């Protein structure tokens, strides 16, 4: 039995102006009729799973509760962070929560904001991870890379373990471009998908070894929770002192006992508008059109209209995102830089 943990505390700033501080991308319907969070949860149906635990910022508690209710999950398990401290603490809080009463469940940690087109292949990889989880190893799911992306973790595969896993000989989070290019051309590396699986106690032991400071604050924070209806509130004052770090830097780069299970499931982390264009249905001219859109003599654009009409003539490789209070115009190659726009604005809403 797996205990899914959905990490849903990010801000998704590269998807501005749709993704905002108060309404980040994981709560939007970016691909299909359901939100990213809902799709993440429904993708588990058919696996031997407990009810998911969602960990998110307290500002989003009603959004999360409502979106769970819409898909039939009525009694919630939602942990609320007063402030985001990145994924190492978020997963630590959830692990401490899950080990209360002497339990030590097999956790499946899933970001709430990924597209995975092939549910069957996803579930096969998850099943392939179980023997490694039960062997007290940290498991990540690896994707065959097709570009020298610098926003991902890279995993060098070591010794083969049976039919469906490799020992990790090196884990490098967000390398520079030259290093990413070398990894890509070597053919030895997989991307880290950002999904993980391990026994709760295995993660806590590794965290204690490599980041005892984070371990200590999270342990204290979870002892001081406040149950508020369906929500578990983390103590504000204690958690505010927690160092920020991601699981990738805090644990995965340092551990010597981790396994990568390959996953070939049409994965896309939809970090930017350009990745949404890649996975969207397109017309014969290569335009992805969402909402009321008219495109004439225009090719390979991502055109999104939330209210009113978006119309283009003679435009190619562009991204136009129109929402009720802001319009973004950029080209597909610049989509990663939307983050700097949000920083320049100094706010997302
Ligand atoms: N609850 C909670 N609290 N969730 C968080 C927090 C937090 O403080 N910070 C981030 N998250 C959630 C985000 O919502 C997202 O679903 C997930 O954790 C990963 O965070 P990102 O900020 O999107 O990480 P990243 O994309 O830079 O890098 C990670 O994912 C890549 C694949 O998409 C790493 O794991 C990389 O190694 C990996 O390649
Ligand atoms: Mg991400």
């Amino acid at each position: 039995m797996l205990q899914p943990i959905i990490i849903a505390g990010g801000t998704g700033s590269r998807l501005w102006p749709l993704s905002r501080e108060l309404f980040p991308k994981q709560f939007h319907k970016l691909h299909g009729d359901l939100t990213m969070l809902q799709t993440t949860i429904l993708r588990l149906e058919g696996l031997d799973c407990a009810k998911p635990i969602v960990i998110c910022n307290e500002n989003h508690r009603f959004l999360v509760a409502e979106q769970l209710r819409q898909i039939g999950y009525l009694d919630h398990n939602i942990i609320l962070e007063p402030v985001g401290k990145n994924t190492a603490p978020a997963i630590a809080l959830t692990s401490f929560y899950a080990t209360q009463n002497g339990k030590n469940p097999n956790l499946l940690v899933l970001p709430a904001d990924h597209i995975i087109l092939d549910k069957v292949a996803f579930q096969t990889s998850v099943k392939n991870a179980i023997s490694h989880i039960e062997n007290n190893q940290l498991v990540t799911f690896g994707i065959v890379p097709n570009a020298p992306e610098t926003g991902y973790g890279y995993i060098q595969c070591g010794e083969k373990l049976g039919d469906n896993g490799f020992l990790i000989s090196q884990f490098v989070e967000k390398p520079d471009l030259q290093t990413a290019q070398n990894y890509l051309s070597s053919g030895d590396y997989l991307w880290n998908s950002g999904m993980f699986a391990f026994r709760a106690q295995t993660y806590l032991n590794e965290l204690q070894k490599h980041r005892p400071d984070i371990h200590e604050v999270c342990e204290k924070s979870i002892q001081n929770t406040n149950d508020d209806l369906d929500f578990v509130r983390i103590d504000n004052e204690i958690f505010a002192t927690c160092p920020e770090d991601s699981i990738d830097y805090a644990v995965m780069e340092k551990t010597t006992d981790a396994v990568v299970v390959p996953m070939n499931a049409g994965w896309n982390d939809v970090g930017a508008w350009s990745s949404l264009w890649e996975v969207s249905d397109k017309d014969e001219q290569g335009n992805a059109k969402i909402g009321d859109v008219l495109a004439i003599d225009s090719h390979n654009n991502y055109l999104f209209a939330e209210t009113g009409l978006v119309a283009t003539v003679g435009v190619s490789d562009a991204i136009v995102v129109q929402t009720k209070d802001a319009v973004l115009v950029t080209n597909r190659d610049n989509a990663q830089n939307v983050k700097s726009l949000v920083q320049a604005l100094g706010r997302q809403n």
Side-chain angles (χ1 to χ4, degrees), residues 235-312:
D235 185 278
N236 193 355
E237 272 174 37
I238 300 175
F239 194 58
T241 66
C242 186
E244 274 185 46
D245 208 356
S246 71
I247 179 176
D248 318 283
Y249 290 117
V251 176
M252 297 311 293
E253 280 199 336
K254 302 192 174 93
T255 181
T256 52
D257 199 9
V259 172
V260 58
V261 170
M263 182 181 285
N264 180 8
W267 172 90
N268 191 312
D269 93 328
V270 281
W273 289 112
S274 48
S275 10
L276 262 177
W277 174 79
E278 278 164 29
V279 297
S280 298
D281 293 337
K282 303 178 197 67
D283 67 11
E284 288 105 68
Q285 281 71 48
N287 298 306
K289 298 191 284 195
I290 292 91
D292 197 2
V293 171
L294 178 63
I296 293 174
D297 195 17
S298 298
H299 302 270
N300 302 325
N301 300 295
Y302 185 85
L303 306 169
F304 180 105
E306 189 179 64
T307 60
L309 171 73
V310 166
T312 61

Side-chain angles (χ1 to χ4, degrees), residues 5 53-55 77-82 89-101 201 204 207 214-227 231-242:
I5 305 294
I53 300 174
V54 180
I55 178 155
N77 256 326
I78 305 174
I79 302 180
L80 303 179
E81 295 161 299
I91 298 168
L93 290 173
T94 326
S95 300
F96 278 119
Y97 179 75
T99 49
Q100 285 170 339
N101 310 321
Q201 200 55 56
L204 292 174
L207 186 68
I214 297 181
H215 183 276
E216 190 186 343
V217 178
C218 290
E219 189 171 25
K220 279 192 200 142
S221 307
I222 205 78
Q223 281 161 359
N224 230 9
T225 56
N226 197 340
D227 285 2
F231 303 119
V232 179
R233 281 178 189 278
I234 301 300
D235 185 278
N236 193 355
E237 272 174 37
I238 300 175
F239 194 58
T241 66
C242 186

Side-chain angles (χ1 to χ4, degrees), residues 10 12 14 25 111 113-114 151-152 174 193-194 267 269-271:
R14 281 171 296 168
K25 69 170 171 175
D113 51 3
H114 292 172
Y152 294 156
K174 302 194 189 348
S193 65
W267 172 90
D269 93 328
V270 281

Side-chain angles (χ1 to χ4, degrees), residues 6-12 14 25-26 54-57 79 81 83-87 89-91 110-114 151-154 171-174 191-196 239 246-248 267-269 339:
I6 316 290
I7 43 176
T11 53
R14 281 171 296 168
K25 69 170 171 175
Q26 55 271 28
V54 180
I55 178 155
C56 66
N57 191 280
I79 302 180
E81 295 161 299
V83 55
K85 293 288 188 178
N86 214 322
T87 50
I91 298 168
L110 303 172
D113 51 3
H114 292 172
Y152 294 156
Y154 284 72
F171 186 110
V172 180
E173 179 65 5
K174 302 194 189 348
W191 281 335
N192 173 33
S193 65
M195 297 179 263
F196 301 93
F239 194 58
S246 71
I247 179 176
D248 318 283
W267 172 90
N268 191 312
D269 93 328
K339 202 174 201 160

